Amino acid sequence: MTRWMAAKSWGLYLFHYLFIAMTAYYLTMYTKLPAVLLYLFVAAAGFAGAYLAYEIIRRIPVLRWTVCGI
């Protein structure tokens, strides 16, 4: 688990805020969820979105060199 997280940490760090901000904005605008559920959904979406974005961008050669540093 530690090696996996170390390999993915830059990508997760780079992309997490976009998904946290988008999810929090849309959930607060269009739902009336309690704060605890809102927090859990935003945290899960931030991690999942950042992971998916990193995995997609990692497979595009030009972006892989510039964004991911691989």
Side-chain angles (χ1 to χ4, degrees):
M1 182 70 166
T2 305
R3 289 179 193 236
W4 178 86
M5 197 64 170
K8 306 276 189 239
S9 64
W10 175 247
L12 294 176
Y13 167 74
L14 195 60
F15 298 115
H16 81 282
Y17 187 74
L18 171 67
F19 295 98
I20 287 174
M22 284 183 356
T23 306
Y25 174 76
Y26 285 113
L27 286 178
T28 55
M29 292 296 291
Y30 299 113
T31 66
K32 298 292 181 195
L33 291 173
V36 173
L37 285 178
L38 182 68
Y39 178 81
L40 291 174
F41 283 135
V42 168
F47 179 78
Y51 179 74
L52 288 173
Y54 177 73
E55 288 298 321
I56 290 168
I57 288 173
R58 191 174 75 99
R59 287 171 169 73
I60 301 170
V62 173
L63 293 177
R64 181 180 181 174
W65 297 329
T66 58
V67 175
C68 301
I70 297 173

